[in-house]
Amino acid sequence: MNIEHWTDLAACRGEDPELFYPVSAAGPAVTQVEEAKRVCARCPVTEDCLKWALRAGEPAGIWGGTTPEERRYLRLKPLPTAPAWY
């Protein structure tokens, strides 16, 4: 296997992409989000995926085990300040 990018190791490769893009936040979509997050939970590159989604401002889908709402919350959190000696 030739690995050129973190996505080459993603657990979602080979899964139906529709799984990661629920059409709502209620009803059957809740089960779909849970199933997508289970795939993310077994993924070796979840952290890379989440970092990418946060940097890109990804507005939809399950990325790095998070929903769009969860990513919006993460982007609102203040960044740590650099030490005074930095």
Side-chain angles (χ1 to χ4, degrees):
M1 173 194 239
N2 187 14
I3 299 168
E4 295 183 15
H5 194 262
W6 63 264
T7 55
D8 294 337
L9 299 172
C12 58
R13 291 179 64 91
E15 296 284 341
D16 181 356
E18 295 292 320
L19 173 64
F20 299 91
Y21 291 92
V23 295
S24 73
V30 172
T31 303
Q32 186 177 350
V33 168
E34 290 170 355
E35 187 176 338
K37 285 185 170 191
R38 279 195 296 276
V39 172
C40 295
R42 64 179 168 82
C43 183
V45 293
T46 301
E47 187 176 324
D48 295 307
C49 182
L50 177 57
K51 285 179 184 177
W52 180 88
L54 291 170
R55 277 194 314 272
E58 185 59 54
I62 306 300
W63 291 86
T66 63
T67 63
E69 296 78 20
E70 291 164 339
R71 289 192 301 280
R72 277 193 290 277
Y73 174 76
L74 289 172
R75 284 191 293 268
L76 290 175
K77 290 172 66 174
L79 296 173
T81 58
W85 49 265
Y86 184 70

